[in-house]
Amino acid sequence: MTRFALEANFDGLVGPTHNYAGLSFGNVASANNANRVSNPREAALQGLAKMKALADLGYAQGVLPPQERPSVALLRTLGFSGDDSTVIRNAAQTAPALLGAACSAASMWTANAATVSPSADTSDGRVHFTAANLCSKLHRAIEHETTSRILRAAFPDESRFAHHDALPGWPSLGDEGAANHTRFCGAYGERGVEFFVYGRDDLASAPAPRRFPARQTLQASQAIARLHGLDDADVVFAQQHPDAIDAGVFHNDVIAVGNGNVLFCHAQAFVDQASVLATLRERLAARGTALEVVEVSDADISMEDTVGSYLFNSQLLARSPEAGGGMRLVVPQECRERPAVWRYLEALVASGGPIRELHVFDLRESMRNGGGPACLRLRVVLTEEERKAAHSGLWMDDARYATLTDWVKRHYRDRLAVSDLADSALLDECRTALDELTRLLSLGSVYPFQRNV
């Protein structure tokens, strides 16, 4: 008998060191906006506004805290010594790029935090989490230990939740988390089909991008499927199209988004796309569900507009039967500002297909660093019992929104230039804010400075 389950979205709260250091080669928006002045306060408030709006629509919406930055531990590992202020000052003077990596607020993109498989799919009937190693980028490779502690605190019941450490940070096992993973199903509580997209097969010769690196490997995706106890018949692996990667599609969620039995994607999303879609249809049909594919041609929306608008980095959310069923698409403001994209979306909603409604959000601060609505959230399918077992302090409601909004306004700067990262006061501001945040969320000591590490 199928158990009732829902899809919860856990958004990352933008951290106090949100800046534009241009750290992510292959991410066009990150590179194009390098060295601009950021507004951490506005970035965090924009993200909170999206969370609150979706909670008001009736979705299960959670929040995950940012990480401690600057990471003095990283700088010490790289040979800088002295007290914290000295470490930051010396790094700023002799290796500013390393300081930029140590100050990155990229953990706000929780689509990269982990890969999650719901209990309906796993061999032991628990929800499985594997933190992503993110080993392709220094500024992100330092996240997974704190990510694991946060996820364990958020989902603490070992009888219902299984937590796996990140895969070893070897190039052959590069893992970028849920940004390259989608689950298709009928009802959320039914057994589903898990779709893993990789950029390269590290053990075979295959088409590869020439301009930008492929970050996710087939070997990492296969390892996670094994760790989560997934049945081979319910798993599909597909290669991301190398031409899309070279156009700036650094993760699959920049060119495809799926939910339930709906896949919304560009025609250049996958290698041998017709075969990939046929396999997905076949696997899902074996579960009694028909896959609905909305495939966008290059003639409808160019790859340039795809990357510039972050159309597919939108959230695809199931509407209630009372709302008429189908899907809502949560898009960034940039989609409205690109005429070809907006014309397509208006026609799409009017067509009577599975996508029935649009919601537009201003996420300008995160978009300038290369992450839109879907980057900001980690999807976790939960039964009612699992939801009750999750940490209660992370769910978004009126009170939580008011508390976090006040917290952001009291602790965040409204202007941060890359040169400001050398200010050692920023570390004290961040630690003071995060120490208060963990108390507000009743989350415990998840940060290195709280653990005397």
Side-chain angles (χ1 to χ4, degrees):
M1 184 175 179
T2 300
R3 296 179 296 171
F4 172 78
L6 52 80
E7 182 187 69
N9 288 275
F10 286 83
D11 280 38
L13 186 57
V14 181
T17 61
H18 167 65
N19 70 91
Y20 300 129
L23 299 172
S24 191
F25 180 66
N27 181 328
V28 175
S30 173
N32 288 346
N33 290 292
N35 298 314
R36 292 184 65 148
V37 174
S38 67
N39 186 334
R41 183 185 301 166
E42 185 63 21
L45 294 177
Q46 287 173 352
L48 282 169
K50 179 175 82 76
M51 293 183 230
K52 178 61 163 55
L54 296 186
D56 288 346
L57 285 170
Y59 295 103
Q61 178 67 58
V63 59
L64 294 176
Q67 301 213 1
E68 177 190 348
R69 295 291 181 267
S71 173
V72 179
L74 169 64
L75 298 176
R76 292 188 186 281
T77 298
L78 299 178
F80 296 96
S81 59
D83 60 25
D84 291 345
S85 295
T86 300
V87 166
I88 291 171
R89 182 174 63 253
N90 288 343
Q93 291 173 349
T94 63
L98 292 181
L99 178 60
C103 291
S104 170
S107 67
M108 64 183 177
W109 292 313
T110 53
N112 303 126
T115 303
V116 185
S117 294
S119 55
D121 296 356
T122 62
S123 58
D124 64 2
R126 295 187 291 171
V127 183
H128 281 245
F129 300 80
T130 296
N133 61 30
L134 297 167
C135 63
S136 70
K137 302 295 176 186
L138 173 61
H139 68 287
R140 304 224 58 184
I142 60 177
E143 292 178 14
H144 62 84
E145 290 185 5
T146 297
T147 295
S148 290
R149 283 194 297 272
I150 290 172
L151 290 174
R152 286 183 167 93
F155 304 97
D157 185 345
E158 293 183 1
S159 70
R160 300 183 185 278
F161 307 115
H163 294 275
H164 305 279
D165 291 336
L167 298 175
W170 305 327
S172 294
L173 295 175
D175 174 30
E176 301 283 312
N180 292 315
H181 173 260
T182 303
R183 178 180 186 257
F184 298 101
C185 60
Y188 290 122
E190 296 175 355
R191 196 175 187 90
V193 174
E194 300 203 18
F195 183 43
F196 292 83
V197 180
Y198 62 93
R200 72 178 193 277
D201 179 346
D202 208 55
L203 301 181
S205 177
R210 297 180 296 274
R211 181 184 180 195
F212 294 135
R215 302 184 185 186
Q216 181 87 24
T217 68
L218 172 61
Q219 287 67 40
S221 297
Q222 291 171 328
I224 291 167
R226 286 191 292 267
L227 286 168
H228 291 195
L230 305 181
D231 191 308
D232 288 346
D234 298 324
V235 176
V236 175
F237 300 99
Q239 184 179 1
Q240 187 176 352
H241 202 295
D243 290 346
I245 294 174
D246 279 337
V249 181
F250 51 98
H251 292 139
N252 177 63
D253 68 359
V254 181
I255 201 164
V257 59
N259 185 19
N261 71 326
V262 178
L263 172 62
F264 180 44
C265 66
H266 194 278
Q268 287 184 282
F270 315 112
V271 172
D272 195 5
Q273 186 146 315
S275 177
V276 169
L277 297 181
T279 301
L280 285 173
R281 286 190 174 98
E282 176 187 336
R283 297 290 176 87
L284 203 58
R287 291 289 170 199
T289 300
L291 179 69
E292 294 190 66
V293 178
V294 179
E295 189 176 37
V296 183
S297 71
D298 195 61
D300 286 327
I301 298 179
S302 69
M303 191 61 69
E304 180 184 357
D305 275 342
T306 293
V307 174
S309 68
Y310 270 46
L311 167 61
F312 298 99
N313 195 243
S314 300
Q315 289 179 253
L316 195 59
L317 302 170
R319 300 198 312 171
S320 68
E322 294 77 17
M327 296 285 172
R328 286 186 175 100
L329 192 67
V330 174
V331 302
Q333 174 67 26
E334 283 75 3
C335 286
R336 179 177 275 160
E337 294 171 358
R338 296 235 172 189
V341 174
W342 193 245
R343 281 196 304 271
Y344 176 85
L345 285 174
E346 289 185 313
L348 178 65
V349 170
S351 70
I355 298 175
R356 312 277 178 81
E357 187 178 339
L358 298 175
H359 279 256
V360 181
F361 285 93
D362 180 2
L363 298 166
R364 191 82 63 188
E365 282 290 324
S366 68
M367 284 287 290
R368 284 175 177 159
N369 236 345
C375 280
L376 288 166
R377 62 95 173 95
L378 180 69
R379 294 185 284 186
V380 185
V381 170
L382 299 169
T383 65
E384 282 296 333
E385 294 78 13
E386 291 159 354
R387 181 178 180 177
K388 291 175 183 175
H391 179 59
S392 61
L394 300 178
W395 295 110
M396 183 60 64
D397 55 22
D398 290 347
R400 186 83 57 226
Y401 176 73
T403 297
L404 292 177
T405 297
D406 172 69
W407 174 80
V408 167
K409 289 179 177 178
R410 287 187 290 107
H411 289 288
Y412 280 48
R413 299 185 184 190
D414 61 5
R415 184 186 189 280
L416 193 66
V418 173
S419 59
D420 294 328
L421 302 180
D423 181 3
S424 61
L426 188 61
L427 175 63
D428 294 333
E429 292 171 19
C430 186
R431 287 177 172 173
T432 297
L434 296 181
D435 202 38
E436 181 181 334
L437 180 64
T438 53
R439 292 196 300 272
L440 293 174
L441 301 177
S442 302
L443 203 57
S445 299
V446 296
Y447 296 114
F449 75 91
Q450 295 173 321
R451 301 158 55 86
N452 297 317
V453 176

